[in-house]
Amino acid sequence: MCEIVPPVTQVITKVIVTGTAAMLLSASVHAGFRPEAVPGGVAGIIVAPAGAPRPEVRYEGRPVLLVPQRDGWRALVGLSLDTPVGERTLDIGPEGQSRPLRFDVTPKDYPVQKLTIKNPKMVTPDPTDVARIDAERKRQLEIRSQFRDVPVPRTDLALPAEGRLSSRFGLRRVFNGEPRAPHTGLDVAVPAGTPIRAPADGVVTLVDDLYFNGKTVFVDHGQGFVSMVCHLDRASVEAGQPVRRGEMLGLSGSSGRATGPHLHWSVYLNGAAVDPALFIAPPPAR
Ligand code: ZN
């Protein structure tokens, strides 16, 4: 759901850690990964000491990604763009016997992006398309909410295609003067036919042609860590197929709601869309 536009400047409110400050560390999880406890960001929280058995950790009822580190087990919690600012709670331990661990979400302002879409059906779909769009939304929600319980050896991601970062995550969008859902991915300006590659090892969980996203591939990197690439010209993988980091998933295009060829890349953690730029190294120029 993208449009190629000039780069925008994001206004970022500094992350302020309070309350459970001792449990929240600012150190990178892996090179290139920068936790940011803001709406659309990722809270990186130590939940158990190093050497302890892996704890059970849930956020809003969903299991979260856990990585073992020198300083302990770190939970990486995806915070959707509509996360309220203020105190949130992780549940540590088995269901029914869990203890709460509180952390703070601080505000982040995302800029407005105004776009003109030539096809009015892509702004306000025909009633006959609404059922299809609803069914596709549910299917994608299921796919991105799966929890495949395997170790995740690294949490930094490779940009699926080299190019200018054209539309950043979180833009509050206005299509043809009408407010629409915010941009829940990162766009990369690439010509049609550019190879699009897996950001990390994983398993392909969906290959489909969707109303808004066009030709789309989902890759499950494990423990609810999921990538989606869309607006492809064609996919070159099938659902169920394991892929390695850097392996080709398809070729870029402009299928679905796109006014020109580019890549749209979304990243999900515990079902929440989070900013893909937090996972890529080196940090992109802002
Ligand atoms: Zn996009």
Side-chain angles (χ1 to χ4, degrees), residues 1-3 167-168 173 183-188 230-231 262-266:
M1 288 181 262
C2 326
E3 162 79 321
S167 281
R168 305 299 295 252
R173 289 188 144 172
H183 189 228
T184 52
L186 174 64
D187 289 356
V188 185
C230 61
H231 304 310
H262 70 282
L263 167 70
H264 172 103
W265 174 34
S266 285

Side-chain angles (χ1 to χ4, degrees), residues 29 45 77 91 103 124 149 152 169 255 279:
V29 172
I45 304 171
V77 186
D91 296 308
F103 65 100
T124 304
D149 197 355
V152 175
F169 176 91
S255 55
F279 300 87

